[in-house]
Amino acid sequence: MENIIETVDLTKRYSKAVALDSVSIHVRQGEIYGLIGKNGAGKSTLFKTMMGLAPYSSGEVKMFGDSSTSGLNKAHHRIGFMMGAHFFPYLSARENLEYFRKLKGIPDKTEVDRVLKLVEMEKVKKKFKSFSMGMKQRVSIANALMGYPDIVVLDEPINGLDPQGIADFRHLVQKLNKENKTTFMVSSHILGELGMMATRFGFIHDGRLVEEIDREVIRNKTKEQVIVKVSDIEKATCLLEEKFESIEYTVNGDKELVIMKMTDRTAEIAALFVQNDLSLYKLDTQEISIEDYYLQLIAKGGANNV
Amino acid sequence: MFNYIKADLYRLFHKKSNFVFYGVVFALFIAVVIIARTSVEGRTPFAEGYLELGIILLTQFFPLVFGIQAYVAVYTNDLSANTYQNIFTNGLSKVEFIIGKVITMIVYLLTTFLSGAILYSIMYVILLMIEDGSFDFESFKNLAIVSVTIFLGILGYATVANILAYFTQNSTISVISMGVLVSGVILQIFNLISLFTDKIEFLREYTLSYHMNEATNGMMPTILGGEASYSASFLAWGVALIYLIVASVIGVVILNKIEIKEGK
């Protein structure tokens, strides 16, 4: 699969501080790439260096296989980009988008209407300065979608959106990805939402790309958990340790056990407890969330340790 | 680049406050002329003094009012709205941006200058009709030359002010620097320094402010019925164009090296 956006050992320094440390990302055609990291991890800095808004100290940025200055400038015509919501306050949403339609050289005058409908802003007439943050974000998303770009790069797009807006945004991204084969690169520090949307993840921490991994690989790499609620936790843990070698578990409160990597042996676990006169209140399997995976990744210091 | 110019002109001509501003200025001008004309009833023909008033307005009033307004509208609105990120991520190079902005400024200034010129001319013709006077083509030629000088001067000052604007990406600082440049403060600073030392006096003749001032002085004798001196005006045009080119090149270098701020 072709890489639409690629960075090769991209490094950005501010005096002595290293904002990006040899970051090499690969955004492939047709995927929804989720760039995940806490505040200050380097997500926005990566986007700015990628899009030519900030010079970088070393490394390379390639778009559609071309790393030359003219190639990158041409590539920007095929990319929809959103970073914050910065438009002219004295113009309406429609007028602001009309400005950018002209700037992008999009000949179709109905394009503004189309993207405003996608974000449900087509009936809003007031000036941009009167918008709420959520409305501003919607206009910014609409701007990024104008002109059917090959790839849409969105920095923290769900900031300021209400729950319905977040759900609508997720459905819109998935719809465009499926129907138009649009590639998306989305950054967020809200792991849960990005976890539901992305097909591939890049985890960035303190300026370093800790891991880049497909959703399917995460599923295969991490095992599901078994959640058990019993009448006697102490007895339950003794029984488990006797029966299963190198079992991993954690205890929540005084009645709940979380057992790692044994979702295919729930019948054995249930039988063990029942046969030893333990009351079994709950036995359930659960997939590790992206959030859990990320937190484990950061805590354990890298991909090899998860 | 032409897409950018079209977009920027669209923005400027959809900003209602621009129309309000010039509407108020032109209305004030009409009011002032009417009040002045009615107060000189029966004395010397007002139409004769009207042309000299034009030169004073052009040299003293236009740069500060029209020049700064145009600079704010064309250049600093992008800074105050933090739209540089959106603009530069659409395939527009820094060179195209700077050249595009110069062209936009030329079109915008031309529009405002021509609008003012048309209004001024209409008022002049009305005065001539009232006073049964004859059209003074020589004075109109002088006005045209002064207009071109002020026009190019504003362009030159704007591109110099932009050096600071691009570096700081702060709209307030850039407007202040434009105000300092068009108001002639640079020359005042040289005058102050010359009281203490003449070591940097040689630099004065390299400033645009000096040549704009010389050009204005060359046209001022026409107010008292004297002959105009055009050489200083033509020299000022050349200096303004050199400033425009050099400051634009510096602007490109700065924009290519700095980080575009994210905005709040």
Side-chain angles (χ1 to χ4, degrees), chain A residues 14 48 53 83 86 90, chain B residues 11 77 85-86 259-260 262:
Chain A
Y14 293 101
K48 287 177 83 171
L53 295 173
M83 179 175 269
H86 303 298
Y90 49 83
Chain B
R11 168 183 72 81
N77 273 182
Q85 277 183 110
N86 280 340
E259 180 167 329
I260 303 298
E262 216 170 304

Side-chain angles (χ1 to χ4, degrees), chain A residues 12 14 44 48 51-55 73 76-77 79 81 83 86-91 94-95 98-100 102-105 127 143 155, chain B residues 3-4 6-8 10-11 14-16 77-78 81-83 85-94 257-264:
Chain A
K12 167 81 179 157
Y14 293 101
S44 297
K48 287 177 83 171
M51 297 301 296
L53 295 173
N73 265 345
H76 289 166
H77 288 289
I79 298 175
F81 181 67
M83 179 175 269
H86 303 298
F87 294 90
F88 299 103
Y90 49 83
L91 299 179
R94 185 174 298 278
E95 286 167 342
E98 184 62 23
Y99 169 91
F100 283 103
K102 288 179 189 298
L103 172 61
K104 293 179 192 199
K127 301 298 179 196
N143 183 43
D155 184 38
Chain B
N3 287 334
Y4 178 61
K6 278 194 276 186
D8 221 18
Y10 170 87
R11 168 183 72 81
H14 278 76
K15 189 179 179 190
K16 292 195 177 78
N77 273 182
D78 292 319
N82 293 304
T83 52
Q85 277 183 110
N86 280 340
I87 290 169
F88 288 126
T89 52
N90 279 296
L92 188 74
S93 72
K94 309 302 193 307
K257 289 208 177 302
I258 55 154
E259 180 167 329
I260 303 298
K261 287 184 184 171
E262 216 170 304
K264 292 174 189 171

